[in-house]
Amino acid sequence: MNEQELSAVLTRAGERLDPDVAALVAGGVRRGRRRRRRASATVALGAATVLALGGIAWQSAPGGGGRRAEDLAVATSPSSPDDQRRLPPDDVLVERLLDHLPEGEVTDVTTEASGGGPDSPIQRGLEISLLLDGVRVEVRLGDMSIDPTRWARFVAPGSMPEGCDASLVDADKATWHEAMRTASENAPTFSSPEEVELTPEQECVSWVSRKREQRCAAKPACLAKRTTYSAKETCGAPECRELADGSWLWPRTGDGGDGSDTSGFRGNWAGLFAPDGWMIDVAAFNSPDPDAGRPRVLRDDPPLSLDQVSALATAAFWFD
């Protein structure tokens, strides 16, 4: 297990888990990850896009032959993670997405896997990024549930770092949060997971966090609190609304902040949280670089409307 794998799982667990090293490294790694994704680009040739992902190449005409996102069949989720669906192969998912985008030139299609592995408490997910007529469209498919039988093994802390204050394992919440705040001061920004170098304080916080989670996993009540999944609670926002199958949809539009952005940057997002644990988040922007400090705005509105990203998020084609 490495810091990025632990960070991914703890981030998915949200408020069910104590804050920990995820808060120290997730933001920097996420920014670097988006830059790496864009380094794996594909080439548009005339009216078709040639994709080469994972050694598999195919052609897909942009726009899906006149099909519209609004016409998509809506998925029906199983009622719990016990019957969780599985994703098709990456190339199949990308092809299905391209087949249901509106007409336009598709370039820079990249994918990145997340989670998964033999000992992982979450299923393998996928992030897809592309440019549609020069502006960014992103899809994230992630397992938000946690397998309790694998959780304790996954958070095994290993050896205590030299100089680490072991008393933090039993510290009250206020003391523990203060230690994390101290460790997070001046946290560096990483351009790739290989460049992650934690400070001694951060290494200690990481170890203590895992140790606290390991102790929790040994207590049935605490383990249940950590790993019990609720689509409603995971969605969390006041704007979330329940769908017929028990999924919760969170549509949103704007500048991604408090509305004070005067650059003209806009995005449309729709996040679906299904009862079986899957999250499908679809986003479209009017910029090719939405994560930049000052995004370049190339058009007034994103290439997908709020209704279109919502239709893609709730579509049945993501699963077999």
Side-chain angles (χ1 to χ4, degrees), residues 96-118:
R96 290 177 181 176
L97 172 62
L98 294 181
D99 200 31
H100 292 90
L101 290 178
E103 295 290 344
E105 183 183 47
V106 177
T107 57
D108 290 18
V109 183
T110 61
T111 64
E112 182 180 1
S114 61

Side-chain angles (χ1 to χ4, degrees), residues 123-173:
Q123 274 201 60
R124 181 183 184 275
L126 185 68
E127 297 186 18
I128 305 171
S129 178
L130 58 88
L131 294 180
L132 177 59
D133 287 337
V135 291
R136 187 67 54 185
V137 173
E138 297 180 334
V139 177
R140 292 188 301 139
L141 301 103
D143 180 7
M144 306 295 284
S145 63
I146 296 176
D147 183 342
T149 62
R150 296 182 177 182
W151 178 244
R153 188 164 64 246
F154 190 76
V155 297
S159 301
M160 184 177 72
E162 183 177 355
C164 183
D165 182 2
S167 68
L168 289 172
V169 174
D170 299 309
D172 59 40
K173 185 169 291 188

Side-chain angles (χ1 to χ4, degrees), residues 69-77 85 139 241-245 247-251 270-274 279-282 306-319:
E70 296 93 329
D71 298 330
L72 292 174
V74 177
T76 300
S77 169
R85 296 163 292 178
V139 177
R241 64 174 187 263
E242 187 174 13
L243 304 182
D245 69 341
S247 296
W248 286 78
L249 181 68
W250 182 18
L272 180 82
F273 301 85
M279 177 206 69
I280 304 171
D281 190 77
V282 181
L306 189 59
D307 286 343
Q308 287 175 311
V309 294
S310 297
L312 287 169
T314 58
F317 70 72
W318 300 115
F319 303 97

Side-chain angles (χ1 to χ4, degrees), residues 222-255:
C222 189
L223 178 62
K225 181 180 179 181
R226 290 290 195 263
T227 60
T228 297
Y229 172 78
S230 163
K232 179 180 179 180
E233 292 180 7
T234 305
C235 190
E239 299 83 4
C240 291
R241 64 174 187 263
E242 187 174 13
L243 304 182
D245 69 341
S247 296
W248 286 78
L249 181 68
W250 182 18
R252 54 217 188 269
T253 187
D255 62 11

